[in-house]
Amino acid sequence: MTRLDPFETMTVVETVEVVVAHQERATLRVGEVFLKIDVDQRNTDVEVAAMASAPIPTPAVLWRKPPVLALAALPGTALGRLGEPSSASRAAWVATGAAIRALHDAPLPARPGRGIDDIARELDRECAWLLAHRVLPADLIVHNRRLADAALRPWTPVFTHGDLQVAHVFVDGDDVTGVIDWSEAAQGDPLFDLATVTLGHPEHLDDVLAGYGRDVDQTVIHAWWSLRSLRGVRWLIEHGFDPNAPGCEIDVLRNQVRREIPAETETSLPLCAAATRARAGPNRRGGRPDLRSGFLGDER
């Protein structure tokens, strides 16, 4: 196999785009090359191995010189962004469901996933932290913690992406051109991937499931929306992101409540939002840059 000189894959460019940057990871775009720098090279090992075995399109590995991994840019655009309506076609969402099904039908990767007990303990820790620091109203946390219980049940492991955010799926027209950011790939619950790709975009769940082509318990998908959002808020705050941005994790938690409460009591929800902003304070929100704008993925 011909070994590529790292610099042969890069051309003269006028700008370097910072896609995402935090204490654990940074991703830069230089022309049509993405440069990923991870403090833990085990994450890169997992990503490279997963892309090599996944039965769906992934970025081409151009070269690896630790701690840098160079990947070719995928054609097309992201399926969507949190907090923004998706401009992708319904057919593209259906194709996304079909791609996820192909992944889940593939042979299991070597990396074992997290167990139910481990996930439950982490969820309880995160809820306790949110309550202790008064980041969210207590009733919002308790309600979503109750909903999350439905996800904590036995499942048959499949090949999961593990972080299949809507911004990690690229489409061109009605076709999926590739999926990025595989460092969380492992054996896991198939409904977690389905929940992650539709987080903040519940209006496209039916399209994804149509492409997936298998009956699933949507209650469990809804439970994963609550679980993922609850356990993600602290990470986002501590890494400089804003979980209270429109359409993001805290909005997801509020919407989970709205789905169950009577319409006449819905007017109380904006007060919860105001309480969230007041309790979070300047050190929890607004004091650090929000890198979600223009984000292509890999924020957590």
Short mmCIF file of all heavy atoms in Angstrom, two decimals, residues 16-72:
data_model
loop_
_atom_site.label_atom_id
_atom_site.label_comp_id
_atom_site.label_asym_id
_atom_site.label_seq_id
_atom_site.Cartn_x
_atom_site.Cartn_y
_atom_site.Cartn_z
N VAL A 16 -8.60 28.46 8.02
CA VAL A 16 -8.72 27.22 8.78
C VAL A 16 -9.96 27.38 9.66
O VAL A 16 -10.06 28.32 10.44
CB VAL A 16 -7.48 26.96 9.64
CG1 VAL A 16 -7.70 25.74 10.53
CG2 VAL A 16 -6.25 26.78 8.78
N GLU A 17 -10.90 26.46 9.50
CA GLU A 17 -12.15 26.53 10.26
C GLU A 17 -12.05 25.66 11.51
O GLU A 17 -11.69 24.48 11.43
CB GLU A 17 -13.31 26.05 9.39
CG GLU A 17 -14.64 26.00 10.14
CD GLU A 17 -15.73 25.32 9.33
OE1 GLU A 17 -15.47 24.94 8.17
OE2 GLU A 17 -16.83 25.14 9.88
N VAL A 18 -12.33 26.25 12.65
CA VAL A 18 -12.43 25.48 13.89
C VAL A 18 -13.83 24.91 13.96
O VAL A 18 -14.80 25.63 14.17
CB VAL A 18 -12.13 26.36 15.12
CG1 VAL A 18 -12.27 25.53 16.40
CG2 VAL A 18 -10.74 26.97 15.02
N VAL A 19 -13.95 23.62 13.76
CA VAL A 19 -15.26 22.97 13.78
C VAL A 19 -15.74 22.84 15.21
O VAL A 19 -16.88 23.16 15.54
CB VAL A 19 -15.19 21.59 13.09
CG1 VAL A 19 -16.53 20.89 13.16
CG2 VAL A 19 -14.74 21.76 11.64
N VAL A 20 -14.90 22.33 16.08
CA VAL A 20 -15.22 22.21 17.50
C VAL A 20 -13.91 22.17 18.27
O VAL A 20 -12.88 21.70 17.76
CB VAL A 20 -16.05 20.94 17.77
CG1 VAL A 20 -15.26 19.68 17.51
CG2 VAL A 20 -16.61 20.93 19.19
N ALA A 21 -13.94 22.70 19.48
CA ALA A 21 -12.74 22.68 20.31
C ALA A 21 -13.15 22.70 21.78
O ALA A 21 -13.94 23.55 22.20
CB ALA A 21 -11.84 23.87 20.00
N HIS A 22 -12.64 21.76 22.55
CA HIS A 22 -12.82 21.76 24.00
C HIS A 22 -11.65 21.02 24.61
O HIS A 22 -10.68 20.69 23.91
CB HIS A 22 -14.17 21.15 24.40
CG HIS A 22 -14.46 19.80 23.82
ND1 HIS A 22 -13.86 18.65 24.26
CD2 HIS A 22 -15.31 19.41 22.83
CE1 HIS A 22 -14.31 17.61 23.59
NE2 HIS A 22 -15.20 18.05 22.70
N GLN A 23 -11.72 20.78 25.93
CA GLN A 23 -10.55 20.25 26.63
C GLN A 23 -10.12 18.87 26.16
O GLN A 23 -8.95 18.50 26.33
CB GLN A 23 -10.83 20.20 28.14
CG GLN A 23 -11.13 21.54 28.78
CD GLN A 23 -12.62 21.80 28.88
OE1 GLN A 23 -13.36 21.59 27.92
NE2 GLN A 23 -13.06 22.24 30.05
N GLU A 24 -11.02 18.11 25.60
CA GLU A 24 -10.72 16.73 25.25
C GLU A 24 -10.43 16.51 23.78
O GLU A 24 -9.76 15.54 23.41
CB GLU A 24 -11.90 15.84 25.66
CG GLU A 24 -12.20 15.89 27.15
CD GLU A 24 -13.53 15.23 27.48
OE1 GLU A 24 -14.15 14.66 26.57
OE2 GLU A 24 -13.95 15.31 28.65
N ARG A 25 -10.93 17.42 22.92
CA ARG A 25 -10.87 17.14 21.49
C ARG A 25 -10.98 18.44 20.71
O ARG A 25 -11.62 19.39 21.14
CB ARG A 25 -12.01 16.20 21.11
CG ARG A 25 -12.01 15.72 19.69
CD ARG A 25 -13.08 14.66 19.51
NE ARG A 25 -12.88 13.54 20.42
CZ ARG A 25 -13.83 12.71 20.81
NH1 ARG A 25 -15.07 12.87 20.38
NH2 ARG A 25 -13.57 11.71 21.62
N ALA A 26 -10.33 18.47 19.55
CA ALA A 26 -10.48 19.59 18.63
C ALA A 26 -10.56 19.04 17.21
O ALA A 26 -9.91 18.04 16.88
CB ALA A 26 -9.30 20.56 18.74
N THR A 27 -11.37 19.68 16.39
CA THR A 27 -11.48 19.31 14.99
C THR A 27 -11.35 20.57 14.15
O THR A 27 -12.07 21.55 14.39
CB THR A 27 -12.83 18.62 14.68
OG1 THR A 27 -12.96 17.46 15.51
CG2 THR A 27 -12.89 18.20 13.22
N LEU A 28 -10.44 20.53 13.20
CA LEU A 28 -10.22 21.66 12.29
C LEU A 28 -10.55 21.22 10.87
O LEU A 28 -10.32 20.07 10.49
CB LEU A 28 -8.76 22.13 12.34
CG LEU A 28 -8.15 22.43 13.71
CD1 LEU A 28 -6.68 22.79 13.55
CD2 LEU A 28 -8.90 23.54 14.40
N ARG A 29 -11.05 22.17 10.07
CA ARG A 29 -11.23 21.89 8.65
C ARG A 29 -10.24 22.73 7.88
O ARG A 29 -10.19 23.96 8.00
CB ARG A 29 -12.66 22.22 8.20
CG ARG A 29 -12.85 21.93 6.70
CD ARG A 29 -14.29 21.93 6.28
NE ARG A 29 -14.41 21.50 4.89
CZ ARG A 29 -15.54 21.14 4.31
NH1 ARG A 29 -16.67 21.15 5.01
NH2 ARG A 29 -15.56 20.76 3.04
N VAL A 30 -9.43 22.06 7.08
CA VAL A 30 -8.45 22.71 6.23
C VAL A 30 -8.76 22.30 4.80
O VAL A 30 -8.43 21.20 4.36
CB VAL A 30 -7.01 22.30 6.61
CG1 VAL A 30 -5.99 23.08 5.78
CG2 VAL A 30 -6.76 22.51 8.10
N GLY A 31 -9.44 23.18 4.08
CA GLY A 31 -9.87 22.80 2.74
C GLY A 31 -10.84 21.64 2.81
O GLY A 31 -11.86 21.70 3.49
N GLU A 32 -10.53 20.55 2.13
CA GLU A 32 -11.38 19.36 2.13
C GLU A 32 -10.87 18.28 3.07
O GLU A 32 -11.20 17.10 2.91
CB GLU A 32 -11.50 18.81 0.70
CG GLU A 32 -12.25 19.75 -0.25
CD GLU A 32 -13.64 20.08 0.30
OE1 GLU A 32 -14.42 19.14 0.53
OE2 GLU A 32 -13.94 21.28 0.48
N VAL A 33 -10.05 18.69 4.03
CA VAL A 33 -9.49 17.74 5.00
C VAL A 33 -9.91 18.16 6.41
O VAL A 33 -9.84 19.35 6.76
CB VAL A 33 -7.94 17.71 4.91
CG1 VAL A 33 -7.38 16.78 5.98
CG2 VAL A 33 -7.50 17.27 3.53
N PHE A 34 -10.37 17.19 7.19
CA PHE A 34 -10.66 17.41 8.60
C PHE A 34 -9.52 16.84 9.43
O PHE A 34 -9.13 15.68 9.23
CB PHE A 34 -11.98 16.76 8.99
CG PHE A 34 -13.19 17.50 8.52
CD1 PHE A 34 -13.76 17.23 7.29
CD2 PHE A 34 -13.75 18.50 9.30
CE1 PHE A 34 -14.87 17.92 6.85
CE2 PHE A 34 -14.87 19.21 8.87
CZ PHE A 34 -15.43 18.92 7.64
N LEU A 35 -9.00 17.64 10.34
CA LEU A 35 -7.93 17.21 11.24
C LEU A 35 -8.50 17.09 12.65
O LEU A 35 -8.94 18.08 13.24
CB LEU A 35 -6.78 18.22 11.22
CG LEU A 35 -6.15 18.51 9.86
CD1 LEU A 35 -5.09 19.59 9.98
CD2 LEU A 35 -5.57 17.24 9.25
N LYS A 36 -8.50 15.87 13.16
CA LYS A 36 -9.05 15.61 14.49
C LYS A 36 -7.91 15.33 15.46
O LYS A 36 -7.03 14.52 15.19
CB LYS A 36 -10.00 14.41 14.45
CG LYS A 36 -11.20 14.61 13.53
CD LYS A 36 -12.20 13.49 13.66
CE LYS A 36 -12.83 13.47 15.03
NZ LYS A 36 -13.92 12.47 15.12
N ILE A 37 -7.95 16.02 16.59
CA ILE A 37 -6.92 15.87 17.62
C ILE A 37 -7.62 15.44 18.90
O ILE A 37 -8.49 16.15 19.41
CB ILE A 37 -6.16 17.19 17.85
CG1 ILE A 37 -5.56 17.69 16.53
CG2 ILE A 37 -5.07 17.01 18.89
CD1 ILE A 37 -5.04 19.11 16.60
N ASP A 38 -7.27 14.28 19.40
CA ASP A 38 -7.92 13.73 20.58
C ASP A 38 -6.86 13.44 21.64
O ASP A 38 -5.82 12.85 21.34
CB ASP A 38 -8.66 12.44 20.22
CG ASP A 38 -9.74 12.08 21.23
OD1 ASP A 38 -9.42 12.03 22.44
OD2 ASP A 38 -10.89 11.89 20.82
N VAL A 39 -7.13 13.85 22.88
CA VAL A 39 -6.15 13.62 23.94
C VAL A 39 -6.04 12.13 24.28
O VAL A 39 -5.01 11.70 24.78
CB VAL A 39 -6.50 14.43 25.21
CG1 VAL A 39 -6.45 15.91 24.93
CG2 VAL A 39 -7.86 14.04 25.75
N ASP A 40 -7.09 11.38 24.02
CA ASP A 40 -7.09 9.95 24.31
C ASP A 40 -7.08 9.20 22.98
O ASP A 40 -8.10 9.14 22.29
CB ASP A 40 -8.32 9.58 25.13
CG ASP A 40 -8.29 8.13 25.63
OD1 ASP A 40 -7.50 7.33 25.09
OD2 ASP A 40 -9.07 7.80 26.55
N GLN A 41 -5.96 8.63 22.63
CA GLN A 41 -5.84 7.97 21.34
C GLN A 41 -6.66 6.69 21.24
O GLN A 41 -6.90 6.17 20.15
CB GLN A 41 -4.37 7.68 21.04
CG GLN A 41 -3.59 8.92 20.65
CD GLN A 41 -4.15 9.57 19.38
OE1 GLN A 41 -4.04 9.01 18.29
NE2 GLN A 41 -4.76 10.73 19.52
N ARG A 42 -7.15 6.20 22.38
CA ARG A 42 -8.04 5.04 22.32
C ARG A 42 -9.33 5.40 21.59
O ARG A 42 -9.92 4.56 20.90
CB ARG A 42 -8.35 4.55 23.73
CG ARG A 42 -7.16 3.88 24.42
CD ARG A 42 -7.47 3.55 25.86
NE ARG A 42 -7.72 4.75 26.64
CZ ARG A 42 -7.97 4.74 27.95
NH1 ARG A 42 -8.01 3.59 28.61
NH2 ARG A 42 -8.20 5.88 28.61
N ASN A 43 -9.78 6.65 21.71
CA ASN A 43 -10.96 7.09 20.97
C ASN A 43 -10.72 7.03 19.48
O ASN A 43 -11.59 6.61 18.70
CB ASN A 43 -11.35 8.50 21.38
CG ASN A 43 -11.82 8.60 22.82
OD1 ASN A 43 -12.37 7.65 23.36
ND2 ASN A 43 -11.60 9.74 23.43
N THR A 44 -9.52 7.43 19.07
CA THR A 44 -9.18 7.38 17.65
C THR A 44 -9.07 5.95 17.17
O THR A 44 -9.48 5.62 16.04
CB THR A 44 -7.86 8.13 17.39
OG1 THR A 44 -7.95 9.46 17.96
CG2 THR A 44 -7.59 8.27 15.90
N ASP A 45 -8.52 5.07 18.00
CA ASP A 45 -8.44 3.65 17.65
C ASP A 45 -9.83 3.10 17.37
O ASP A 45 -10.05 2.38 16.38
CB ASP A 45 -7.80 2.85 18.79
CG ASP A 45 -6.34 3.20 19.01
OD1 ASP A 45 -5.70 3.74 18.09
OD2 ASP A 45 -5.85 2.93 20.13
N VAL A 46 -10.78 3.42 18.25
CA VAL A 46 -12.16 2.95 18.09
C VAL A 46 -12.75 3.51 16.80
O VAL A 46 -13.40 2.79 16.02
CB VAL A 46 -13.02 3.36 19.30
CG1 VAL A 46 -14.51 3.11 19.02
CG2 VAL A 46 -12.58 2.61 20.55
N GLU A 47 -12.52 4.79 16.54
CA GLU A 47 -13.10 5.43 15.36
C GLU A 47 -12.58 4.80 14.07
O GLU A 47 -13.36 4.48 13.16
CB GLU A 47 -12.78 6.93 15.37
CG GLU A 47 -13.34 7.67 14.17
CD GLU A 47 -13.43 9.16 14.39
OE1 GLU A 47 -12.80 9.67 15.34
OE2 GLU A 47 -14.12 9.82 13.60
N VAL A 48 -11.28 4.61 13.98
CA VAL A 48 -10.70 4.04 12.76
C VAL A 48 -11.20 2.62 12.55
O VAL A 48 -11.56 2.23 11.42
CB VAL A 48 -9.16 4.09 12.84
CG1 VAL A 48 -8.54 3.31 11.69
CG2 VAL A 48 -8.68 5.54 12.81
N ALA A 49 -11.24 1.82 13.62
CA ALA A 49 -11.70 0.43 13.49
C ALA A 49 -13.17 0.38 13.09
O ALA A 49 -13.57 -0.44 12.25
CB ALA A 49 -11.49 -0.31 14.81
N ALA A 50 -14.00 1.26 13.67
CA ALA A 50 -15.42 1.24 13.36
C ALA A 50 -15.68 1.64 11.92
O ALA A 50 -16.50 1.03 11.23
CB ALA A 50 -16.16 2.19 14.32
N MET A 51 -14.96 2.66 11.44
CA MET A 51 -15.17 3.09 10.05
C MET A 51 -14.74 2.01 9.07
O MET A 51 -15.32 1.87 7.99
CB MET A 51 -14.41 4.39 9.79
CG MET A 51 -15.01 5.60 10.49
SD MET A 51 -14.33 7.18 9.93
CE MET A 51 -12.62 7.02 10.45
N ALA A 52 -13.74 1.23 9.46
CA ALA A 52 -13.27 0.17 8.57
C ALA A 52 -14.26 -0.97 8.45
O ALA A 52 -14.32 -1.65 7.42
CB ALA A 52 -11.92 -0.36 9.07
N SER A 53 -15.09 -1.17 9.48
CA SER A 53 -16.01 -2.32 9.47
C SER A 53 -17.47 -1.93 9.25
O SER A 53 -18.30 -2.80 9.01
CB SER A 53 -15.89 -3.10 10.79
OG SER A 53 -16.15 -2.27 11.90
N ALA A 54 -17.80 -0.65 9.34
CA ALA A 54 -19.19 -0.22 9.17
C ALA A 54 -19.64 -0.46 7.72
O ALA A 54 -18.90 -0.15 6.78
CB ALA A 54 -19.34 1.25 9.53
N PRO A 55 -20.85 -0.97 7.52
CA PRO A 55 -21.33 -1.27 6.17
C PRO A 55 -22.01 -0.07 5.50
O PRO A 55 -22.76 -0.24 4.54
CB PRO A 55 -22.34 -2.39 6.43
CG PRO A 55 -22.92 -2.04 7.75
CD PRO A 55 -21.79 -1.44 8.56
N ILE A 56 -21.78 1.13 6.00
CA ILE A 56 -22.36 2.34 5.43
C ILE A 56 -21.23 3.32 5.14
O ILE A 56 -20.12 3.17 5.66
CB ILE A 56 -23.40 2.96 6.38
CG1 ILE A 56 -22.76 3.32 7.73
CG2 ILE A 56 -24.57 2.03 6.58
CD1 ILE A 56 -23.74 3.97 8.71
N PRO A 57 -21.45 4.33 4.29
CA PRO A 57 -20.36 5.25 3.93
C PRO A 57 -19.80 6.00 5.13
O PRO A 57 -20.55 6.45 6.01
CB PRO A 57 -21.02 6.21 2.94
CG PRO A 57 -22.23 5.50 2.44
CD PRO A 57 -22.70 4.64 3.57
N THR A 58 -18.49 6.14 5.16
CA THR A 58 -17.79 6.88 6.21
C THR A 58 -16.68 7.70 5.56
O THR A 58 -16.30 7.46 4.40
CB THR A 58 -17.17 5.93 7.25
OG1 THR A 58 -16.17 5.12 6.60
CG2 THR A 58 -18.22 5.04 7.89
N PRO A 59 -16.13 8.68 6.27
CA PRO A 59 -15.02 9.46 5.69
C PRO A 59 -13.80 8.59 5.43
O PRO A 59 -13.50 7.66 6.19
CB PRO A 59 -14.72 10.50 6.77
CG PRO A 59 -15.93 10.55 7.63
CD PRO A 59 -16.51 9.18 7.60
N ALA A 60 -13.09 8.89 4.36
CA ALA A 60 -11.84 8.18 4.07
C ALA A 60 -10.75 8.65 5.02
O ALA A 60 -10.60 9.85 5.26
CB ALA A 60 -11.42 8.43 2.63
N VAL A 61 -10.00 7.70 5.58
CA VAL A 61 -8.85 8.04 6.42
C VAL A 61 -7.69 8.37 5.50
O VAL A 61 -7.20 7.50 4.77
CB VAL A 61 -8.49 6.88 7.37
CG1 VAL A 61 -7.23 7.24 8.17
CG2 VAL A 61 -9.65 6.57 8.30
N LEU A 62 -7.24 9.61 5.52
CA LEU A 62 -6.13 10.03 4.65
C LEU A 62 -4.79 9.67 5.27
O LEU A 62 -3.90 9.18 4.59
CB LEU A 62 -6.22 11.53 4.39
CG LEU A 62 -7.52 12.00 3.71
CD1 LEU A 62 -7.53 13.52 3.58
CD2 LEU A 62 -7.67 11.34 2.35
N TRP A 63 -4.66 9.95 6.54
CA TRP A 63 -3.45 9.57 7.26
C TRP A 63 -3.69 9.72 8.76
O TRP A 63 -4.63 10.37 9.18
CB TRP A 63 -2.23 10.38 6.84
CG TRP A 63 -2.40 11.88 6.78
CD1 TRP A 63 -2.76 12.62 5.70
CD2 TRP A 63 -2.20 12.82 7.85
NE1 TRP A 63 -2.81 13.96 6.02
CE2 TRP A 63 -2.46 14.11 7.33
CE3 TRP A 63 -1.82 12.70 9.18
CZ2 TRP A 63 -2.37 15.27 8.10
CZ3 TRP A 63 -1.72 13.86 9.96
CH2 TRP A 63 -1.99 15.12 9.41
N ARG A 64 -2.83 9.08 9.53
CA ARG A 64 -2.89 9.20 10.97
C ARG A 64 -1.48 9.36 11.51
O ARG A 64 -0.62 8.52 11.27
CB ARG A 64 -3.56 7.99 11.60
CG ARG A 64 -3.67 8.09 13.13
CD ARG A 64 -4.31 6.86 13.73
NE ARG A 64 -4.41 6.99 15.18
CZ ARG A 64 -4.80 6.03 16.01
NH1 ARG A 64 -5.17 4.86 15.51
NH2 ARG A 64 -4.85 6.24 17.32
N LYS A 65 -1.25 10.44 12.20
CA LYS A 65 0.03 10.70 12.85
C LYS A 65 -0.30 11.22 14.25
O LYS A 65 -0.52 12.43 14.43
CB LYS A 65 0.85 11.72 12.06
CG LYS A 65 2.28 11.88 12.56
CD LYS A 65 3.05 12.83 11.65
CE LYS A 65 4.48 13.03 12.14
NZ LYS A 65 5.25 11.78 12.15
N PRO A 66 -0.41 10.30 15.24
CA PRO A 66 -0.89 10.69 16.57
C PRO A 66 -0.18 11.95 17.10
O PRO A 66 1.03 12.09 16.91
CB PRO A 66 -0.54 9.48 17.43
CG PRO A 66 -0.56 8.33 16.47
CD PRO A 66 -0.03 8.90 15.19
N PRO A 67 -1.00 12.86 17.63
CA PRO A 67 -2.42 12.71 18.00
C PRO A 67 -3.40 13.17 16.91
O PRO A 67 -4.57 13.40 17.22
CB PRO A 67 -2.54 13.63 19.21
CG PRO A 67 -1.62 14.77 18.89
CD PRO A 67 -0.44 14.12 18.18
N VAL A 68 -2.94 13.30 15.65
CA VAL A 68 -3.79 13.84 14.60
C VAL A 68 -4.30 12.73 13.68
O VAL A 68 -3.54 11.85 13.27
CB VAL A 68 -3.03 14.89 13.76
CG1 VAL A 68 -3.96 15.47 12.69
CG2 VAL A 68 -2.49 16.00 14.65
N LEU A 69 -5.60 12.79 13.38
CA LEU A 69 -6.22 11.92 12.40
C LEU A 69 -6.77 12.80 11.29
O LEU A 69 -7.53 13.74 11.56
CB LEU A 69 -7.35 11.11 13.03
CG LEU A 69 -8.21 10.26 12.09
CD1 LEU A 69 -7.39 9.13 11.50
CD2 LEU A 69 -9.44 9.72 12.82
N ALA A 70 -6.38 12.53 10.04
CA ALA A 70 -6.84 13.32 8.90
C ALA A 70 -7.89 12.52 8.13
O ALA A 70 -7.66 11.39 7.72
CB ALA A 70 -5.67 13.66 7.99
N LEU A 71 -9.04 13.15 7.94
CA LEU A 71 -10.16 12.52 7.25
C LEU A 71 -10.60 13.39 6.07
O LEU A 71 -10.58 14.62 6.16
CB LEU A 71 -11.34 12.35 8.20
CG LEU A 71 -11.11 11.50 9.46
CD1 LEU A 71 -12.31 11.62 10.39
CD2 LEU A 71 -10.87 10.05 9.08
N ALA A 72 -11.01 12.74 5.00
CA ALA A 72 -11.54 13.47 3.85
C ALA A 72 -12.95 13.97 4.16
O ALA A 72 -13.73 13.29 4.83
CB ALA A 72 -11.56 12.57 2.62
#
